[in-house]
C-alpha cells in the first residue's frame, strides 16, 4: 500500500502536494527556454522568498540538508566541535555536523511541545564541558520554538543559532518569521512539505558576509555564479576561479519554477491546513485517550501530531496506527527520536530514558493527514476512524 496515493477504496493519503496548472505551465516554460539548471528563475525565486520573509539574503539550494550543511560550514563548525539539538527530529538536522567531523549534543524537548527546551540548552552550555559551536532548534511540525529565549541564551553564551525551519514556512515565532532570528534559517521544499519544489530548500541569513560565503560554497567554491557568466554582460564567460572546495548544492530553474508558483499560494495553503487543524482540535477535544498538539497563532501546521495516552489504551501506538491505516487513513509517526536510532545510540552511548519527554511523545505519536487538497469528507473520515478506534481500544473504567 502506498501511503501517499489515493485509490478507489477511499484511502486518505498521508500527504499530497498541491500542484496546479500554474506549476505545470511554469515548468513547461523552463523546459522550452533552453536553460534548465540554475539561472534567472532560481534568482527570481530567491528574491521573492527573501521579500516574503523580509530577510536580506535567500539562497536556493537543492535540499534543506544542503542548506544546513552550508550554514555549519560557513560558521566554521569543525572536527571535534559539538552542536546542540533535540533528538525529536529527522536525522538531517544533525547528520550535517558529522559531515564536518562535529558531533550532536542532544537535549530533551519541552514537556508541552515537540520543540527543544531552552532551559536545557542553557544547562548543556554550562555543564557539558564540550566545545559547543552552535544550536539548531527545529520548529517541529511548524510549531514555533521559543526563539527569543534561544537567541538570548546563544548570544550570552556566544554560540551561533541555525534554525531548522524545514517545517516552518510560513510560521511566526516570538522573534519574527521562523528562520530569521538566528544566524541562518533553513527551509525544506521536499515533496511533502508546506510548499514544494520536488526536492529543494532555501538558506536565509541577514549577514551579507555569510551569504557571500555560502553562495560560493553552494557551487563548487567558484568565485562567481556560473549562470551570470553566460548573461552577455560579463567580460570573459569561460573564466572563473575556485576559491574553496565547495559543494554541488544549487537549485535548478526547473525546481525553482515550481517554488515561485508555490510561494504565491503559500498563505492560502496555510489557511487550509489551519482550518483542518482547527477541525481536528474541535473533534478530538473530548477524547480523553488523546493528547492534542500544542497550538500557536504562528503555527504553519505542517504536521498534526496526536499522542495516544498509553495508560488508557489496551493496545500500543504501533497497533493503533496499523489499525488506522488498515481502515483507510494514511497516518505516520513523527518522530522516532534520534537517540533510539542505532547510529546515534551506539556512537554516543545513549539510552532510551536519557530524553524522557522525547521518549514519551514518541511512544504515543500519530501524525494525521493535513494538506490543502484534503476534502472535508476526508477530514471527517480521519476523525471518524480515530474516534472509532479510540472507542474500540480505550480501556474501560470498570
Ligand atoms: C526537521 C527536518 N530537517 C531537515 C530536513 C531535510 O530536508 P530535505 O529533505 O529538504 O533535505 C527534514 C526533511 O524531512 C526535516 O524534517
Amino acid at each position: 500500500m502506498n501511503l501517499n496515493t489515493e485509490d478507489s477504496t477511499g484511502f486518505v493519503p498521508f500527504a499530497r502536494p498541491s500542484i496546479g496548472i500554474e506549476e505545470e505551465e511554469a515548468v513547461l516554460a523552463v523546459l522550452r527556454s533552453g536553460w534548465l539548471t540554475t539561472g534567472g528563475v532560481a534568482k527570481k525565486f530567491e528574491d521573492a522568498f527573501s521579500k516574503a520573509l523580509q530577510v536580506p539574503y535567500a539562497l536556493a539550494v537543492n535540499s534543506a540538508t544542503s542548506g544546513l550543511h552550508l550554514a555549519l560550514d560557513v560558521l566554521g563548525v569543525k572536527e571535534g566541535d559539538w552542536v546542540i539539538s533535540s533528538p525529536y527530529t529527522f536525522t538531517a538536522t544533525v547528520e550535517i555536523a558529522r559531515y564536518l567531523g562535529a558531533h550532536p549534543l542532544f537535549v530533551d524537548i519541552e514537556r508541552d511541545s515537540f520543540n527543544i527546551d531552552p532551559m536545557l540548552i542553557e544547562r548543556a552550555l554550562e555543564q557539558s564541558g564540550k566545545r559547543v559551536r552552535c544550536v539548531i532548534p527545529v520548529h517541529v511540525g511548524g510549531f514555533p520554538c521559543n526563539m527569543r529565549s534561544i537567541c538570548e541564551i546563544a548570544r550570552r553564551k556566544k554560540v551561533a543559532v541555525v534554525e531548522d525551519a524545514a517545517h516552518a514556512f510560513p510560521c511566526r515565532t516570538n522573534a519574527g518569521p521562523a528562520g530569521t532570528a538566528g544566524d541562518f534559517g533553513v527551509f525544506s521544499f521536499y515533496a511533502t512539505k508546506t510548499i514544494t519544489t520536488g526536492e529543494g530548500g532555501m538558506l536565509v541569513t541577514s549577514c551579507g558576509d555569510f551569504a557571500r560565503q555560502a553562495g560560493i560554497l553552494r557551487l563548487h567554491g567558484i568565485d562567481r555564479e556560473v549562470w551570470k557568466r553566460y548573461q552577455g554582460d560579463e567580460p570573459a564567460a569561460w573564466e572563473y576561479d575556485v576559491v574553496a572546495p565547495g559543494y554541488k548544492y544549487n537549485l535548478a530553474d526547473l525546481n525553482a519554477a515550481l517554488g515561485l508558483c508555490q510561494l504565491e499560494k503559500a498563505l492560502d495553503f496555510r489557511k487550509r491546513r489551519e482550518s483542518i487543524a482547527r477541525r481536528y482540535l474541535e473533534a478530538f477535544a473530548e477524547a480523553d485517550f488523546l493528547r492534542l498538539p500544542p497550538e500557536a497563532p504562528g503555527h504553519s501546521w505542517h504536521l498534526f501530531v496526536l499522542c495516544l495516552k498509553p495508560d488508557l489504551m489496551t493496545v500500543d501506538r504501533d497497533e493503533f496506527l496499523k489499525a488506522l491505516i488498515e481502515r483507510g487513513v494514511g497516518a505516520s509517526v513523527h518522530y522516532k527520536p534520534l537517540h533510539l536510532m542505532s547510529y546515534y545510540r551506539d556512537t554516543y552511548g545513549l539510552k532510551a530514558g536519557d530524553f524522557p519527554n522525547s521518549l514519551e511523545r514518541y511512544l504515543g505519536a500519530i501524525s494525521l493527514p493535513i494538506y490543502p487538497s484534503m476534502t472535508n469528507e476526508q477530514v471527517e473520515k480521519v476523525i471518524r476512524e480515530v474516534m472509532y478506534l479510540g472507542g474500540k481500544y480505550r480501556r474501560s473504567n470498570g
Side-chain angles (χ1 to χ4, degrees), residues 63-65 68 89-90 92-93 138 164 166-167 188-190 193 199-200 335:
S63 70
T65 309
L68 288 163
T89 185
F90 184 59
T93 305
V138 185
D164 181 337
H167 301 178
S188 173
F189 308 135
Y190 178 71
K193 295 298 194 285
E199 296 278 0
Y335 281 99

Side-chain angles (χ1 to χ4, degrees), residues 45 59-64 186-189 197 199-203 251:
F45 182 35
L59 286 96
V61 283
N62 59 6
S63 70
V186 183
F187 297 85
S188 173
F189 308 135
T197 58
E199 296 278 0
M202 194 71 79
L203 175 66
L251 185 76

